[in-house]
Amino acid sequence: MRTIDMSGRVALVLGVANHRSLAWAIAESLGAAGAQLVVTYQGERLEKNASEFIAGHPGAIALPCDVTSDESLSALFRRLESDFGRLDTLIHSIAFAQREELEGEFRKTSREGWRVALEVSAFSLVDLANRATPLMEKNGGSMLALTYIASQRAVPNYNVMGSAKAALEHCVRQLAFELGPKNIRVNAISAGPISTLSARGVSGFTGMLQHARDRSPLRRITEPREVGDAALFLASDLASGITGEILYVDSGFHILAG
């Protein structure tokens, strides 16, 4: 029986907001498998949470990162190159839309609201992949994004975030095609509704959570740990033949007609 050993590999996890975030769960799974962890946070408000994470994971480091800032991204990757000279895993767990865009009627999405959501939630993966590729080319690597079923279906109040997730999934496929010859795999996990900081910003989220619990074949909602373990699998050599895929970790909810 093969086990997953990430010793000697460097994993960059973007989006560790707090202990309920999927990025936090993914980082824990990667760290438990022996990966050298680099987690990022945006702004002073979230720095405390990132510091809390690394305090419980000896050897992990936390660095600031604003994916809308070229200067911030350049500083992050300069640090990765100087400290490690390589990158094996990149976890993109970043999404944002202005709160007013996550309620009411989708057709009233503002131009600025659309730009912000698509830039932060989708374009950032493209930008990060471009910066990470030189650090992955020698040894190969794995990139992973977090998506949601609203990329494929109409979900009340998810609005512009559904458009952003659809764009994100296209980015996954296009990057997988482009980076495959470099032995860099790109995949995404489509998680079921989980009570994260960003999810609670969606109007009516509590109802979405209950609907998933009642209707999913497993009759329960997905746990962050399950997403973390699926991410570890996709980042590991056990998934060496998998790229360009969307792996559903949602207690089976996506198979239902409605």
Side-chain angles (χ1 to χ4, degrees):
M1 179 178 177
R2 294 181 64 185
T3 58
I4 297 178
D5 183 4
M6 299 290 284
S7 299
R9 302 192 185 186
V10 180
L12 172 64
V13 183
L14 298 108
V16 176
N18 57 35
H19 69 280
R20 290 192 181 93
S21 70
L22 294 182
W24 186 294
I26 292 170
E28 288 204 319
S29 291
L30 290 168
Q36 165 65 57
L37 294 173
V38 180
V39 302
T40 72
Y41 59 89
Q42 182 182 9
E44 294 180 2
R45 184 173 67 89
L46 297 178
E47 182 178 6
K48 180 181 178 181
N49 294 334
S51 298
E52 179 186 341
F53 177 87
I54 64 173
H57 297 79
I61 63 173
L63 298 173
C65 180
D66 178 355
V67 295
T68 66
S69 165
D70 286 336
E71 181 180 352
S72 177
L73 285 166
S74 295
L76 171 64
F77 280 89
R78 281 196 301 268
R79 178 71 182 272
L80 290 172
E81 184 170 16
S82 65
D83 283 12
F84 308 106
R86 64 183 290 170
L87 181 63
D88 301 279
T89 299
L90 185 152
I91 306 295
H92 178 281
S93 184
I94 301 168
F96 177 77
Q98 295 168 342
R99 190 176 185 88
E100 59 270 23
E101 306 292 355
L102 299 177
E103 56 189 18
E105 297 163 317
F106 173 60
R107 70 178 187 273
K108 295 182 179 178
T109 300
S110 69
R111 186 182 301 275
E112 178 64 8
W114 177 276
R115 183 195 66 78
V116 169
L118 271 288
E119 179 181 358
V120 175
S121 309
F123 173 73
S124 59
L125 176 63
V126 179
D127 196 356
L128 287 162
N130 184 48
R131 296 170 186 273
T133 294
L135 294 176
M136 288 186 171
E137 284 184 299
K138 182 178 179 180
N139 302 298
S142 173
M143 301 181 185
L144 180 71
L146 276 294
T147 186
Y148 182 57
I149 199 171
S151 64
Q152 305 294 324
R153 301 184 188 177
V155 175
N157 297 315
Y158 210 72
N159 295 0
V160 70
M161 277 306 303
S163 304
K165 293 300 187 184
L168 179 70
E169 291 182 15
H170 169 264
C171 294
V172 166
R173 290 187 289 271
Q174 195 71 29
L175 289 168
F177 169 76
E178 185 172 296
L179 296 177
K182 300 179 184 296
N183 195 29
I184 298 172
R185 298 179 295 108
V186 188
N187 294 289
I189 288 177
S190 183
I194 297 174
S195 187
T196 62
L197 182 65
S198 59
R200 291 198 300 273
V202 178
S203 179
F205 174 75
T206 301
M208 293 166 57
L209 205 63
Q210 187 60 49
H211 181 67
R213 181 183 288 110
D214 293 341
R215 295 279 292 152
S216 296
L218 293 181
R219 294 297 189 272
R220 62 177 177 81
I221 57 175
T222 308
E223 298 177 8
R225 173 193 56 79
E226 295 172 311
V227 177
D229 289 345
L232 172 60
F233 162 70
L234 287 173
S236 76
D237 291 340
L238 293 181
S240 60
I242 302 174
T243 194
E245 289 296 324
I246 310 299
L247 175 63
Y248 287 89
V249 184
D250 63 354
S251 300
F253 184 78
H254 70 282
I255 70 171
L256 303 176

XYZ file of all heavy atoms in Angstrom, residues 128-197:
517
model
N -0.693 33.797 -11.051
C 0.103 32.964 -10.152
C 0.784 31.816 -10.897
O 1.944 31.491 -10.639
C -0.789 32.407 -9.042
C -1.225 33.422 -7.977
C -2.427 32.897 -7.201
C -0.073 33.726 -7.023
N 0.056 31.202 -11.833
C 0.635 30.104 -12.608
C 1.840 30.584 -13.413
O 2.861 29.880 -13.516
C -0.425 29.506 -13.531
N 1.727 31.764 -13.985
C 2.831 32.318 -14.763
C 4.059 32.539 -13.893
O 5.198 32.232 -14.292
C 2.395 33.636 -15.403
C 3.455 34.225 -16.301
O 4.032 33.536 -17.135
N 3.727 35.512 -16.141
N 3.847 33.042 -12.689
C 4.969 33.312 -11.788
C 5.533 32.026 -11.187
O 6.729 31.941 -10.889
C 4.516 34.258 -10.676
C 4.109 35.640 -11.179
C 3.447 36.460 -10.064
N 2.912 37.727 -10.543
C 3.587 38.860 -10.633
N 4.864 38.887 -10.275
N 3.005 39.963 -11.066
N 4.679 31.015 -10.998
C 5.117 29.777 -10.359
C 5.834 28.831 -11.322
O 6.675 28.031 -10.898
C 3.914 29.053 -9.750
N 5.529 28.918 -12.610
C 6.077 27.970 -13.577
C 7.605 27.870 -13.545
O 8.152 26.753 -13.541
C 5.582 28.300 -14.993
O 4.163 28.096 -15.043
C 6.241 27.427 -16.040
N 8.347 28.974 -13.512
C 9.818 28.842 -13.478
C 10.335 28.061 -12.270
O 11.388 27.429 -12.351
C 10.303 30.302 -13.440
C 9.196 31.082 -14.060
C 7.939 30.395 -13.619
N 9.586 28.089 -11.159
C 10.011 27.369 -9.958
C 9.594 25.900 -9.983
O 10.035 25.116 -9.149
C 9.421 28.043 -8.714
C 9.932 29.451 -8.403
C 9.199 30.033 -7.208
C 11.435 29.439 -8.156
N 8.737 25.540 -10.933
C 8.239 24.164 -11.034
C 8.846 23.392 -12.199
O 8.745 22.167 -12.256
C 6.714 24.157 -11.180
C 5.940 24.532 -9.940
S 4.156 24.298 -10.202
C 3.534 24.542 -8.533
N 9.436 24.105 -13.143
C 9.852 23.466 -14.388
C 10.847 22.322 -14.193
O 10.773 21.298 -14.885
C 10.446 24.510 -15.339
C 9.399 25.373 -16.003
C 10.000 26.325 -17.011
O 10.835 27.162 -16.595
O 9.639 26.233 -18.195
N 11.775 22.449 -13.272
C 12.812 21.438 -13.116
C 12.258 20.115 -12.608
O 12.613 19.030 -13.111
C 13.906 21.945 -12.171
C 15.046 20.946 -12.004
C 16.138 21.499 -11.095
C 17.264 20.487 -10.920
N 18.335 21.018 -10.034
N 11.372 20.192 -11.597
C 10.892 18.976 -10.939
C 9.436 18.637 -11.243
O 8.936 17.610 -10.790
C 11.058 19.116 -9.415
C 12.487 19.366 -9.005
O 13.357 18.540 -9.236
N 12.742 20.527 -8.406
N 8.768 19.495 -12.007
C 7.336 19.310 -12.206
C 6.576 19.824 -10.993
O 7.171 20.238 -9.990
N 5.261 19.815 -11.078
C 4.504 20.319 -9.942
C 3.010 20.186 -10.143
O 2.544 19.633 -11.143
N 2.282 20.680 -9.164
C 0.830 20.588 -9.179
C 0.234 21.915 -8.745
O 0.657 22.497 -7.744
C 0.363 19.475 -8.235
O -1.052 19.478 -8.111
N -0.748 22.384 -9.520
C -1.511 23.574 -9.162
C -2.960 23.157 -8.950
O -3.482 22.324 -9.687
C -1.419 24.627 -10.268
C -0.016 25.073 -10.582
S 0.027 26.332 -11.891
C 1.803 26.514 -12.118
N -3.585 23.757 -7.952
C -4.950 23.377 -7.610
C -5.763 24.608 -7.247
O -5.312 25.453 -6.472
C -4.940 22.407 -6.420
C -6.303 21.913 -5.946
C -6.910 20.956 -6.969
C -6.171 21.222 -4.585
N -6.964 24.698 -7.818
C -7.880 25.796 -7.516
C -9.130 25.252 -6.838
O -9.453 24.068 -6.941
C -8.252 26.547 -8.794
N -9.855 26.120 -6.155
C -11.107 25.759 -5.495
C -12.272 26.396 -6.236
O -12.292 27.615 -6.443
C -11.110 26.223 -4.033
C -10.451 25.314 -2.984
C -11.239 24.015 -2.844
C -8.998 25.016 -3.309
N -13.236 25.570 -6.639
C -14.377 26.071 -7.390
C -15.674 25.629 -6.731
O -15.670 25.082 -5.615
C -14.291 25.617 -8.869
O -15.346 26.226 -9.619
C -14.353 24.107 -8.999
N -16.798 25.847 -7.417
C -18.113 25.528 -6.842
C -19.088 25.250 -7.976
O -18.918 25.760 -9.097
C -18.601 26.694 -5.963
C -19.928 26.443 -5.278
C -20.103 25.341 -4.453
C -20.996 27.311 -5.458
C -21.321 25.101 -3.828
C -22.210 27.086 -4.831
C -22.370 25.972 -4.018
O -23.570 25.743 -3.407
N -20.105 24.462 -7.710
C -21.042 24.011 -8.731
C -21.797 25.151 -9.411
O -22.358 24.982 -10.506
C -22.032 22.986 -8.125
C -22.689 22.160 -9.233
C -23.048 23.699 -7.232
C -23.496 20.990 -8.710
N -21.784 26.336 -8.816
C -22.429 27.491 -9.457
C -21.744 27.875 -10.762
O -22.282 28.667 -11.532
C -22.438 28.690 -8.502
N -20.585 27.298 -11.031
C -19.933 27.510 -12.328
C -20.734 26.870 -13.447
O -20.636 27.271 -14.614
C -18.529 26.910 -12.313
O -18.597 25.498 -12.150
N -21.529 25.851 -13.107
C -22.276 25.085 -14.093
C -23.791 25.267 -13.987
O -24.516 24.954 -14.927
C -21.966 23.583 -13.918
C -20.484 23.241 -13.963
C -19.869 23.492 -15.320
O -20.500 23.285 -16.344
N -18.628 23.963 -15.329
N -24.269 25.736 -12.845
C -25.705 25.842 -12.604
C -26.058 27.211 -12.034
O -25.205 27.903 -11.475
C -26.171 24.756 -11.628
C -25.894 23.348 -12.123
C -26.450 22.329 -11.168
N -26.029 20.981 -11.530
C -26.338 19.898 -10.821
N -27.061 20.021 -9.720
N -25.921 18.711 -11.214
N -27.323 27.546 -12.167
C -27.801 28.803 -11.575
C -28.039 28.584 -10.082
O -28.786 27.683 -9.695
C -29.088 29.252 -12.260
N -27.399 29.378 -9.260
C -27.541 29.283 -7.811
C -28.000 30.643 -7.295
O -27.322 31.655 -7.541
C -26.208 28.884 -7.142
C -26.336 28.920 -5.623
C -25.778 27.495 -7.603
N -29.140 30.719 -6.625
C -29.654 32.005 -6.146
C -28.607 32.782 -5.361
O -27.939 32.233 -4.484
C -30.835 31.602 -5.259
C -31.281 30.279 -5.794
C -30.024 29.592 -6.247
N -28.459 34.049 -5.721
C -27.600 35.015 -5.026
C -26.095 34.785 -5.219
O -25.303 35.622 -4.805
C -27.904 35.056 -3.520
C -29.308 35.517 -3.236
O -29.782 36.487 -3.819
N -30.007 34.812 -2.359
N -25.701 33.682 -5.848
C -24.273 33.495 -6.083
C -23.786 34.444 -7.186
O -22.622 34.828 -7.230
C -23.980 32.034 -6.440
C -22.612 31.579 -6.002
C -22.315 31.375 -4.655
C -21.607 31.347 -6.928
C -21.056 30.957 -4.255
C -20.346 30.925 -6.532
C -20.075 30.737 -5.205
O -18.827 30.332 -4.809
N -24.694 34.736 -8.104
C -24.518 35.812 -9.075
C -23.146 35.822 -9.747
O -22.742 34.867 -10.374
C -24.840 37.155 -8.409
C -26.307 37.257 -8.013
O -27.083 36.334 -8.236
N -26.693 38.381 -7.449
N -22.426 36.934 -9.606
C -21.176 37.113 -10.339
C -20.104 36.098 -9.937
O -19.212 35.779 -10.714
C -20.648 38.552 -10.162
C -20.159 38.790 -8.731
C -19.535 38.851 -11.159
N -20.220 35.528 -8.731
C -19.244 34.525 -8.335
C -19.387 33.261 -9.171
O -18.409 32.550 -9.411
C -19.378 34.196 -6.853
C -18.659 35.181 -5.931
S -16.906 35.420 -6.344
C -16.315 33.734 -6.243
N -20.611 32.961 -9.634
C -20.792 31.834 -10.539
C -20.048 32.065 -11.844
O -19.416 31.162 -12.395
N -20.113 33.305 -12.346
C -19.374 33.659 -13.564
C -17.872 33.538 -13.329
O -17.128 33.055 -14.192
C -19.722 35.088 -13.983
O -21.116 35.250 -14.149
N -17.429 33.974 -12.163
C -15.998 33.904 -11.840
C -15.528 32.458 -11.743
O -14.435 32.114 -12.211
C -15.725 34.643 -10.529
N -16.350 31.599 -11.152
C -15.964 30.196 -11.034
C -15.960 29.511 -12.403
O -15.122 28.635 -12.656
C -16.905 29.465 -10.073
C -16.796 29.909 -8.628
C -15.402 29.708 -8.059
C -15.359 29.997 -6.561
N -13.989 29.888 -6.018
N -16.879 29.891 -13.286
C -16.866 29.345 -14.643
C -15.577 29.743 -15.356
O -14.942 28.927 -16.042
C -18.086 29.825 -15.419
N -15.177 30.998 -15.201
C -13.921 31.460 -15.792
C -12.735 30.733 -15.174
O -11.784 30.356 -15.873
C -13.785 32.971 -15.601
N -12.792 30.520 -13.874
C -11.704 29.820 -13.178
C -11.533 28.406 -13.731
O -10.410 27.947 -13.963
C -12.001 29.778 -11.677
C -10.976 29.051 -10.807
C -9.677 29.846 -10.724
C -11.535 28.808 -9.403
N -12.632 27.713 -13.952
C -12.554 26.341 -14.455
C -11.993 26.306 -15.878
O -11.255 25.386 -16.241
C -13.918 25.671 -14.374
C -14.339 25.403 -12.934
C -15.670 24.691 -12.820
O -16.149 24.136 -13.833
O -16.247 24.697 -11.712
N -12.325 27.317 -16.682
C -11.708 27.394 -18.006
C -10.201 27.601 -17.870
O -9.407 26.999 -18.597
C -12.297 28.535 -18.833
C -11.502 28.795 -20.079
N -10.525 29.782 -20.145
C -11.479 28.175 -21.273
C -9.958 29.748 -21.335
N -10.516 28.791 -22.042
N -9.799 28.462 -16.944
C -8.367 28.696 -16.721
C -7.658 27.397 -16.347
O -6.533 27.142 -16.797
C -8.166 29.735 -15.616
S -8.737 31.395 -16.020
N -8.301 26.577 -15.522
C -7.717 25.291 -15.128
C -7.453 24.433 -16.359
O -6.364 23.866 -16.524
C -8.648 24.556 -14.136
C -8.237 23.084 -13.975
C -8.630 25.254 -12.777
N -8.440 24.326 -17.241
C -8.273 23.488 -18.429
C -7.210 24.048 -19.371
O -6.377 23.309 -19.911
C -9.612 23.358 -19.157
C -10.639 22.523 -18.396
C -11.880 22.290 -19.231
N -12.663 23.505 -19.392
C -13.620 23.903 -18.565
N -13.914 23.180 -17.492
N -14.310 25.013 -18.793
N -7.231 25.357 -19.586
C -6.267 25.966 -20.507
C -4.842 25.857 -19.973
O -3.901 25.560 -20.714
C -6.634 27.433 -20.747
C -5.947 28.063 -21.943
C -6.477 27.528 -23.267
O -7.638 27.135 -23.362
N -5.637 27.506 -24.288
N -4.684 26.081 -18.673
C -3.355 25.967 -18.064
C -2.877 24.520 -18.064
O -1.686 24.249 -18.277
C -3.381 26.517 -16.636
C -3.517 28.035 -16.506
C -3.826 28.432 -15.064
C -2.256 28.748 -16.993
N -3.782 23.585 -17.839
C -3.402 22.174 -17.862
C -2.864 21.800 -19.236
O -1.856 21.076 -19.359
C -4.603 21.299 -17.503
N -3.518 22.278 -20.285
C -3.079 22.024 -21.648
C -1.699 22.628 -21.910
O -0.813 21.992 -22.488
C -4.102 22.604 -22.624
C -3.638 22.632 -24.054
C -3.611 21.474 -24.809
C -3.220 23.820 -24.628
C -3.161 21.497 -26.131
C -2.770 23.859 -25.949
C -2.746 22.689 -26.700
N -1.506 23.841 -21.446
C -0.273 24.568 -21.736
C 0.911 24.075 -20.920
O 2.047 24.033 -21.408
C -0.508 26.058 -21.475
C 0.633 26.965 -21.848
C 0.242 28.432 -21.734
O -0.654 28.873 -22.482
O 0.826 29.123 -20.881
N 0.648 23.687 -19.663
C 1.751 23.339 -18.761
C 2.026 21.842 -18.701
O 3.034 21.416 -18.123
C 1.446 23.866 -17.347
C 1.367 25.392 -17.232
C 0.979 25.802 -15.816
C 2.691 26.036 -17.630
N 1.179 21.040 -19.320
C 1.393 19.602 -19.319
C 2.766 19.180 -19.824
O 3.424 18.322 -19.208
N 3.255 19.748 -20.925
C 4.587 19.368 -21.413
C 5.712 19.672 -20.432
O 6.813 19.130 -20.562
C 4.735 20.201 -22.695
C 3.325 20.430 -23.159
C 2.543 20.616 -21.893
N 5.452 20.532 -19.467
C 6.451 20.855 -18.447
C 6.272 19.978 -17.196
O 6.905 20.219 -16.173
C 6.348 22.333 -18.053
C 6.567 23.301 -19.200
C 6.435 24.741 -18.731
C 6.550 25.727 -19.880
N 7.883 25.692 -20.523
N 5.398 18.980 -17.291
C 5.086 18.095 -16.166
C 4.494 18.864 -14.987
O 4.745 18.551 -13.827
C 6.321 17.303 -15.709
C 5.944 16.131 -14.810
O 4.857 15.572 -14.926
N 6.842 15.771 -13.904
N 3.708 19.875 -15.316
C 2.977 20.629 -14.299
C 1.493 20.345 -14.498
O 0.943 20.577 -15.567
C 3.248 22.135 -14.410
C 4.731 22.424 -14.168
C 2.387 22.908 -13.401
C 5.133 23.871 -14.441
N 0.868 19.808 -13.469
C -0.553 19.450 -13.533
C -1.400 20.556 -12.914
O -0.993 21.188 -11.931
C -0.796 18.129 -12.801
C -0.034 16.953 -13.419
C -0.254 15.659 -12.669
N 0.286 15.709 -11.311
C -0.439 15.778 -10.214
N -1.770 15.848 -10.294
N 0.129 15.808 -9.025
N -2.579 20.766 -13.482
C -3.488 21.812 -12.992
C -4.893 21.219 -12.864
O -5.449 20.719 -13.850
C -3.526 23.032 -13.935
C -4.314 24.172 -13.293
C -2.112 23.493 -14.294
N -5.442 21.248 -11.666
C -6.761 20.692 -11.405
C -7.550 21.620 -10.486
O -7.033 22.644 -10.026
C -6.629 19.312 -10.739
C -5.999 18.282 -11.649
O -6.615 17.839 -12.610
N -4.764 17.881 -11.349
N -8.788 21.251 -10.233
C -9.614 22.020 -9.304
C -10.478 21.070 -8.490
O -10.822 19.966 -8.936
C -10.502 23.014 -10.047
N -10.819 21.489 -7.306
C -11.783 20.784 -6.465
C -13.048 21.630 -6.387
O -12.990 22.826 -6.088
C -11.228 20.545 -5.048
C -10.148 19.465 -5.077
C -12.348 20.139 -4.091
C -9.490 19.223 -3.734
N -14.178 21.009 -6.690
C -15.464 21.670 -6.527
C -16.071 21.151 -5.230
O -16.589 20.032 -5.171
C -16.386 21.368 -7.710
O -17.613 22.080 -7.586
N -15.955 21.940 -4.189
C -16.421 21.517 -2.865
C -17.895 21.843 -2.684
O -18.422 22.776 -3.289
C -15.598 22.203 -1.782
N -18.556 21.074 -1.864
C -19.927 21.397 -1.492
C -19.939 22.634 -0.617
O -18.890 23.134 -0.203
N -21.127 23.176 -0.333
C -21.197 24.368 0.519
C -20.654 24.085 1.917
O -21.038 23.105 2.548
C -22.691 24.705 0.548
C -23.387 23.450 0.163
C -22.462 22.728 -0.764
N -19.723 24.915 2.339
C -19.093 24.796 3.654
C -19.099 26.184 4.276
O -18.885 27.189 3.597
C -17.651 24.267 3.524
C -17.659 22.848 2.928
C -16.946 24.252 4.873
C -16.270 22.308 2.619
N -19.310 26.247 5.563
C -19.468 27.537 6.235
C -18.123 28.232 6.431
O -17.593 28.305 7.543
C -20.166 27.350 7.586
O -20.456 28.603 8.175
N -17.587 28.750 5.330
C -16.344 29.516 5.391
C -16.663 31.004 5.470
O -17.813 31.420 5.298
C -15.485 29.244 4.146
O -16.206 29.683 2.990
C -15.168 27.760 4.009
N -15.633 31.798 5.693
C -15.812 33.244 5.792
C -16.403 33.813 4.510
O -17.336 34.617 4.535
C -14.463 33.902 6.096
C -14.457 35.424 6.288
C -15.266 35.794 7.528
C -13.023 35.934 6.413
